[in-house]
Amino acid sequence: MYETNAPPGRVAADVPVDERFMTLALEHAVTGLGRTAPNPPVGCVIVQNHQQHGGEVVGRGFHPKAGGPHAEVFALREAGEQARGATAYVTLEPCSHHGRTPPCADTLIAAGIARVVVAALDPNPQVAGEGVQRLRDAGIVVEVGVLEAHAVRQQAGFRSVITRGRPWVVAKYAMTLDGKVAAVREGNGTVSGEVARERTMQWRNELDAIAVGSGTLSLDDPALTVRGVPGGRDPRPVVFDRRAASDPHARAWREGAVLVTAPEARADAHEAAGITVLRADTLPDALRGLGKLGLSSVLLEGGPTLLSAFFAQGLVDEVRVFLAPKLLGAGLSPLTGPTRSMHEAQTLRDVTVELLGPDMLVTGLLSDIPRL
Ligand SMILES: NC(=O)c1ccc[n+]([C@@H]2O[C@H](COP(=O)([O-])OP(=O)(O)OC[C@H]3O[C@@H](n4cnc5c(N)ncnc54)[C@H](OP(=O)(O)O)[C@@H]3O)[C@@H](O)[C@H]2O)c1
């Protein structure tokens, strides 16, 4: 499971201790979610005497935004001289190339760090194991793979753009026990309850963009903002509207909004309103365009027509569905499409089930998160 260059005779990864400090580093990384694209969210903690008395955290940091210092730099700044001989826990392999900031591998070496524990290697071809190699060449003990699955999941958006050229797509919807997302195609009350709404707000705060189709925009006029999350920030709204027929003064069209429309559509009114217009023939092209705009993750909030198109083309990577204990009878199904046999059903992996107030939340993956 772990890869190490620890000298023979030495216990390589001190698993419970390493996992405890890596958990802390992953918690720091969360603070950057939704703020770092196209860079990954990364956390780092620096620990003195990790094998004695439970260790002492002397530095901590996270990457706040692209162009800003990396997590290691903040953690080393706080640690100062105490970094010498310490262990650094980093959720992503330290970089080895000069980007907008100097290579973190060199900064860790210069600070006198003795051991580095890395959760996951960096899939960026400019790094891809070179950061670890550079540390090892400098005589630093490096362990790789501590809480890797957790870290890779946290970095799904970054990994998706680097390896596939498009954002990680999370489809979210709420439906009744009889599988309906709305009573009729018109402005609707919400399906799920308050706790589910709070969770949705956290996701909006953590993903780069929030997407809906023109149907939802015109029927619900949603604000697509984050409410009730301390320190929260709004994701960039993205509206799929091939004819550019939606009202350019709808609430979703705030700063940073993106209209995804057909190449031939007249979008003068939207452009005049300062909306970024992305022209694409197909959904895969649209996603690549969103990746180029610096968006690494998209929360696809529907409605059923757009959701169905994404699912039918295999463009949904992760699913988060609320199941409300209500029965509607007639209403809109979340997904439509050609009849499939049960053998052809798309089956989720890494499934979680949680009760949120009266609603059940089911999540799972449809795609593998790109690794190295
Ligand atoms: N319960 C929930 O979780 C939930 C969430 C969202 C919405 N809803 C409900 O859903 C209802 C709206 O349903 P809806 O299906 O009309 O909304 P929608 O899926 O948001 O919008 C549909 C429109 O998206 C446009 N579109 C742009 N690109 C597309 C593409 N590649 N493929 C397919 N469509 C594309 C199409 O219009 P053009 O052809 O003009 O581009 C289409 O008519 C509302 O009642 C709303 O309350 C429920």
Side-chain angles (χ1 to χ4, degrees):
M1 179 184 169
Y2 298 111
E3 188 213 321
T4 180
N5 64 331
R10 184 181 162 280
V11 178
D14 187 345
V15 175
V17 173
D18 285 343
E19 288 192 355
R20 185 156 60 85
F21 290 120
M22 190 59 80
T23 301
L24 205 56
L26 286 161
E27 283 167 11
H28 281 291
V30 167
T31 325
L33 278 175
R35 285 124 176 102
T36 60
N39 285 358
V42 182
C44 174
V45 295
I46 300 195
V47 178
Q48 269 288 0
N49 304 319
H50 75 282
Q51 281 164 323
Q52 294 163 26
H53 317 297
E56 185 196 352
V57 177
V58 293
R60 63 220 94 195
F62 67 93
H63 182 44
K65 61 172 185 186
H70 291 184
E72 296 92 322
V73 173
F74 285 108
L76 287 171
R77 262 186 215 161
E78 186 190 339
E81 269 309 301
Q82 295 187 88
R84 211 153 282 284
T87 296
Y89 294 84
V90 200
T91 60
L92 183 70
E93 175 182 12
C95 61
S96 53
H97 62 296
H98 275 276
R100 281 184 269 192
T101 55
C104 288
D106 293 355
T107 314
L108 289 162
I109 295 165
I113 290 285
R115 180 172 176 261
V116 176
V117 181
V118 173
L121 293 178
D122 189 338
N124 183 347
Q126 289 180 295
V127 186
E130 260 186 51
V132 163
Q133 195 52 50
R134 194 181 284 220
L135 294 168
R136 286 182 175 157
D137 289 348
I140 293 176
V141 171
V142 185
E143 332 256 11
V144 180
V146 175
L147 298 186
E148 183 189 22
H150 189 130
V152 164
R153 187 119 187 201
Q154 203 177 58
Q155 300 153 6
F158 164 72
R159 291 174 176 276
S160 176
V161 172
I162 283 275
T163 60
R164 308 187 300 181
R166 71 159 179 88
W168 183 254
V169 176
V170 180
K172 174 260 157 182
Y173 56 88
M175 67 179 190
T176 59
L177 267 191
D178 54 340
K180 303 295 176 338
V181 293
V184 279
R185 210 170 229 107
E186 62 180 31
N188 271 283
T190 51
V191 177
S192 47
E194 183 53 27
V195 192
R197 194 195 71 88
E198 284 168 13
R199 183 64 62 90
T200 303
M201 291 299 154
Q202 280 174 20
W203 295 336
R204 287 184 179 184
N205 180 44
E206 292 174 357
L207 279 89
D208 298 332
I210 179 170
V212 296
S214 55
T216 301
L217 188 86
S218 60
L219 292 169
D220 297 354
D221 193 15
L224 306 181
T225 50
V226 172
R227 291 163 320 261
V229 177
R233 73 91 189 83
D234 295 331
R236 277 182 84 170
V238 177
V239 179
F240 286 80
D241 172 12
R242 286 174 291 206
R243 291 173 297 129
S246 55
D247 175 3
H249 304 293
R251 293 200 296 168
W253 298 124
R254 56 168 186 277
E255 205 187 333
V258 181
L259 164 70
V260 179
T261 195
E264 65 284 1
R266 293 283 308 268
D268 306 355
H270 294 83
E271 273 165 347
I275 297 162
T276 300
V277 177
L278 174 63
R279 295 180 181 278
D281 261 329
T282 63
L283 287 179
D285 277 353
L287 285 177
R288 278 189 286 274
L290 292 175
K292 288 195 182 115
L293 285 176
L295 300 171
S296 298
S297 54
V298 175
L299 187 63
L300 179 61
E301 288 213 24
T305 309
L306 191 64
L307 273 176
S308 300
F310 268 80
F311 273 104
Q313 296 181 48
L315 296 171
V316 174
D317 300 310
E318 185 178 338
V319 178
R320 301 177 185 175
V321 175
F322 294 112
L323 197 55
K326 297 176 182 174
L327 297 164
L328 252 181
L332 301 182
S333 299
L335 298 181
T336 51
T339 314
R340 293 175 193 246
S341 73
M342 203 47 88
H343 306 295
E344 296 165 315
Q346 298 185 52
T347 305
L348 305 183
R349 296 184 299 279
D350 292 350
V351 173
T352 68
V353 179
E354 197 180 338
L355 204 57
L356 293 178
D359 305 315
M360 185 187 283
L361 168 64
V362 181
T363 73
L365 300 180
L366 285 174
S367 304
D368 292 326
I369 303 175
R371 294 187 178 223
L372 196 55

